[in-house]
């Protein structure tokens, strides 16, 4: 097998002063931050679909990037060429993990049986490469949104045959995930939603989605899958309304259907912003519920209302993301999967490298700055002080659930009007963050 990314070297850390585009400016894998190496803090993953399959095709025109890697598209030869390209790419960038959908790995055949056979074949090949390189699988998933059969979703489909087919795909995707030692399995409900309530039984559909997830958990556990199942929330696109709207909604869903012991959230930056939240918000909601599982690392464009899946460069966002991750004690089974694609005019092999360098450096710098915010301590101590009135006897009684409304009413009548609650000092806190970011 010959080199695919010729003239593109193994990317090394050279420091922020380096002008070499093919070097890391901040990602220094062995540098220790708060007692752990950067590599341990940041288990980066390559998304098979964007990096090895996507060509930049959009609804206005064809792809601009050649991802044939010297093979005829839609053949098993091409599937193997993508494996070769992917492993060379990950080795050169120092990326430890990959994520995949079933049909990213092989072209989908006319029958499930043949697609499954192809998946067996390619996963043997991937496994060989994994053994040689030490590269691992972060998570797997089944694509249950691309094929026309899934026009109304998978678990949410009105057709029992489509539901059944989806179950078949999930079973196989779980088999392959377990075979590759994957640490997670993702449900992104791409078309699990609706276009109009005039033709939709929402309760029926949500019960069916939960049933499909329950079957996946039961099967996964029965074949030895010990990792986490994830829901990846997204409010819309492709559907007008998607059921896993945001982290809060998805957490409520898994709790309602008794799936909360097995499921966590896979939070994607651009999905949170489409839901009208910040990335930090959905990370916080997940973390405070013990459900911060994994991260799809990208960023959106505030001027556009769709999922642009850009490689992240906004260090303010990556810093606040890493602040949440550090506060949550890190990601246990999860990682930072670049669910991100190079812009359509960035169509060369070199652009693939530059895109990942940008994203990895943005998160590395975010990690450095988030650690500085925590070590600086001003923000944490301000937040602590802000709630300090609850350290009083009255506060403790309320917090421990022992106070009654009548009792509080009596105290309030006796005390008279309370003083104002103290300044929130938002502007000062923002200037603290800026001073840490920019020195
Ligand atoms: C789509 C998206 C998916 C999931 C996996 O917006 O993020 O690629 O990450 O199905
Ligand atoms: Co994603």
């Amino acid at each position: 097998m010959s080199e695919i990314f010729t003239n593109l070297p193994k990317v090394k850390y050279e420091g922020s002063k380096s002008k070499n585009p093919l070097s890391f400016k901040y990602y220094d894998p062995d540098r220790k931050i708060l007692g752990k190496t950067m590599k341990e803090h940041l288990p980066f993953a390559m998304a098979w679909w964007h990096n090895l399959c996507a060509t930049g095709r959009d609804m206005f025109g064809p792809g601009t990037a050649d991802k044939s890697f010297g093979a005829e598209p839609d053949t098993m030869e091409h599937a193997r060429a993508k494996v070769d390209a992917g492993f060379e790419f990950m080795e050169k960038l120092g990326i430890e993990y990959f994520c995949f959908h079933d049909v990213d790995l092989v072209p989908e055949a006319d029958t499930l049986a043949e697609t499954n056979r192809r998946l067996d074949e390619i996963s043997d090949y991937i496994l060989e490469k994994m053994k040689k390189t030490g590269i691992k699988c972060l998570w797997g998933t089944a694509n249950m949104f691309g094929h026309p059969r899934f026009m109304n979703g998978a678990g949410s489909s009105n057709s029992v045959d489509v539901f059944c087919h989806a179950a078949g795909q999930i079973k196989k995707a779980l088999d392959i995930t377990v075979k590759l030692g994957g640490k997670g399995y993702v449900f992104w409900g791409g078309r699990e939603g609706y276009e109009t309530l005039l033709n939709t039984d929402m309760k029926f559909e949500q019960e069916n989605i939960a049933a499909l997830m329950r079957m996946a958990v039961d099967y996964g556990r029965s074949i030895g899958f010990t990792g986490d199942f994830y829901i990846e929330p997204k409010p819309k696109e492709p559907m007008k309304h998607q059921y896993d709207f945001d982290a809060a909604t998805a957490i409520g869903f898994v709790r309602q259907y008794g799936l909360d012991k097995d499921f966590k959230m896979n939070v994607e930056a651009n999905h949170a912003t489409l839901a009208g939240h910040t990335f930090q918000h959905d990370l916080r909601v997940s973390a405070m519920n013990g459900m911060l599982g994994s991260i799809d690392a990208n960023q959106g464009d505030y001027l556009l209302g769709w999922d642009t899946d850009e490689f992240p460069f906004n260090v303010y966002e990556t810093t606040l993301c890493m602040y949440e991750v550090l506060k949550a004690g890190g990601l246990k089974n999860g990682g930072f999967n670049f669910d991100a694609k190079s812009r359509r005019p960035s169509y060369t092999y070199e652009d693939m490298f530059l895109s990942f360098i940008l994203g990895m450096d943005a998160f590395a710098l975010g990690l450095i700055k988030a650690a500085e915010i925590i070590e600086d301590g001003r923000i944490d101590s301000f937040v602590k002080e802000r709630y300090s009135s609850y350290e009083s006897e009255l506060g403790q009684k309320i917090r421990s659930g022992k106070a009654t409304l009548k009792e509080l009413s009596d105290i309030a009548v006796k005390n008279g009007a309370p003083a104002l609650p103290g300044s929130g000092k938002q502007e000062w806190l923002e200037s603290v963050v800026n001073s840490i970011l920019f020195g």
Side-chain angles (χ1 to χ4, degrees):
M1 182 213 93
S2 52
E3 193 178 0
I4 292 170
F5 302 104
T6 48
N7 302 323
L8 289 160
K10 192 159 173 43
V11 178
K12 298 203 186 71
Y13 170 74
E14 289 185 9
S16 62
K17 300 278 180 295
S18 170
K19 296 274 192 290
N20 172 9
L22 291 164
S23 71
F24 292 119
K25 315 299 178 295
Y26 303 100
Y27 182 58
D28 183 4
D30 298 322
R31 175 172 164 190
K32 285 226 162 141
I33 307 266
L34 300 177
K36 280 201 305 192
T37 63
M38 276 195 165
K39 201 173 156 168
E40 287 166 333
H41 279 292
L42 297 166
F44 288 126
M46 178 196 79
W48 213 267
W49 54 105
H50 287 313
N51 204 44
L52 304 173
C53 309
T55 58
R57 178 170 62 91
D58 66 18
M59 64 262 245
F60 300 101
T64 54
D66 179 2
K67 299 271 174 82
S68 63
F69 305 116
E72 182 67 32
D74 289 332
T75 60
M76 284 305 283
E77 187 202 352
H78 185 221
R80 270 189 300 279
K82 286 195 289 187
V83 178
D84 294 338
F87 277 83
E88 183 186 325
F89 184 85
M90 289 186 277
E91 279 206 285
K92 284 186 167 172
L93 269 298
I95 297 169
E96 242 187 311
Y97 292 95
F98 62 88
C99 300
F100 68 90
H101 299 91
D102 46 2
V103 298
D104 299 334
L105 300 181
V106 293
E108 192 171 3
D110 291 339
T111 64
L112 194 56
E114 171 58 13
T115 306
N116 289 351
R117 196 205 56 75
R118 292 178 186 181
L119 283 167
D120 288 337
E121 183 186 322
I122 205 70
S123 52
D124 284 344
Y125 190 50
I126 293 175
L127 209 49
E128 259 176 52
K129 294 268 186 185
M130 290 172 70
K131 283 186 186 138
K132 269 189 215 140
T133 59
I135 288 170
K136 300 181 276 279
C137 173
L138 186 67
W139 53 256
T141 186
N143 178 327
M144 305 192 300
F145 46 86
H147 193 282
R149 74 173 74 90
F150 294 124
M151 65 173 73
N152 298 328
S156 70
S157 180
N158 55 306
S159 157
V160 70
D161 293 336
V162 172
F163 185 103
C164 184
H165 190 96
Q169 263 186 257
I170 295 171
K171 178 190 172 291
K172 192 66 190 177
L174 270 165
D175 288 338
I176 301 297
T177 302
V178 170
K179 176 172 171 181
L180 301 180
K183 302 208 285 179
Y185 185 87
V186 166
F187 280 86
W188 169 60
R191 292 190 198 267
E192 311 285 41
Y194 64 83
E195 293 296 325
T196 172
L197 283 177
L198 292 175
N199 67 11
T200 301
D201 186 336
M202 198 196 295
K203 184 166 182 286
F204 185 92
E205 292 193 1
Q206 294 201 2
E207 286 168 358
N208 280 358
I209 295 168
L212 193 56
M213 288 177 172
R214 164 57 50 210
M215 289 180 218
V217 169
D218 290 346
Y219 179 72
R221 298 306 180 213
S222 80
I223 59 165
F225 176 65
T226 54
D228 290 319
F229 287 88
Y230 301 120
I231 286 189
E232 183 178 322
K234 187 178 183 183
K236 58 187 167 189
E237 197 209 11
M239 295 307 256
K240 175 175 148 183
H241 181 98
Q242 283 165 208
Y243 295 135
D244 305 323
F245 191 91
D246 59 2
T249 312
I251 290 168
F253 178 86
V254 292
R255 285 191 178 147
Q256 182 183 353
Y257 291 102
L259 296 161
D260 48 313
K261 300 282 172 294
D262 297 280
F263 273 82
K264 289 191 163 69
M265 297 297 119
N266 181 37
V267 178
E268 177 163 324
N270 202 172
H271 293 180
T273 50
L274 283 175
H277 304 308
T278 57
F279 182 22
Q280 187 186 12
H281 171 96
D282 260 22
L283 293 167
R284 178 75 62 93
V285 168
S286 304
M288 73 188 206
N289 285 290
M291 292 233 173
L292 179 54
S294 199
I295 287 176
D296 267 13
N298 63 18
Q299 74 175 53
D301 185 317
Y302 289 113
L303 301 181
L304 302 175
W306 62 91
D307 194 13
T308 57
D309 282 334
E310 293 173 40
F311 276 89
F313 65 81
N314 184 333
V315 174
Y316 205 98
E317 262 189 18
T318 57
T319 299
L320 295 177
C321 164
M322 293 314 298
Y323 177 76
E324 295 301 322
V325 172
L326 288 175
K327 288 262 171 191
L331 303 174
K332 302 282 174 306
N333 283 324
F336 295 79
N337 169 46
F338 285 105
D339 195 351
K341 52 193 181 222
S342 309
R343 298 303 84 194
R344 192 165 181 263
S346 304
Y347 59 91
T348 68
Y349 283 171
E350 187 188 28
D351 288 312
M352 290 167 69
F353 278 60
L354 298 176
S355 299
F356 271 78
I357 290 170
L358 171 70
M360 291 164 78
D361 266 344
F363 271 93
L365 187 51
L367 168 64
I368 295 167
K369 294 297 168 186
E372 282 178 30
I373 291 175
I374 289 169
E375 280 174 332
D376 173 273
R378 275 175 290 174
I379 291 185
D380 284 344
S381 57
F382 180 79
V383 174
K384 189 165 186 293
E385 172 60 27
R386 189 156 178 260
Y387 295 96
S388 59
S389 67
Y390 280 85
E391 284 158 22
S392 64
E393 205 182 314
L394 177 61
Q396 288 303 304
K397 209 168 179 189
I398 294 171
R399 294 288 295 157
S400 60
K402 293 194 183 111
T404 67
L405 203 65
K406 167 80 172 62
E407 180 187 5
L408 296 186
S409 166
D410 291 345
I411 297 171
V413 168
K414 187 165 144 261
N415 282 357
L420 290 178
S423 167
K425 295 204 171 171
Q426 180 174 336
E427 297 76 5
W428 172 66
L429 295 165
E430 287 165 346
S431 82
V432 168
V433 172
N434 275 358
S435 71
I436 291 172
L437 282 182
F438 301 105

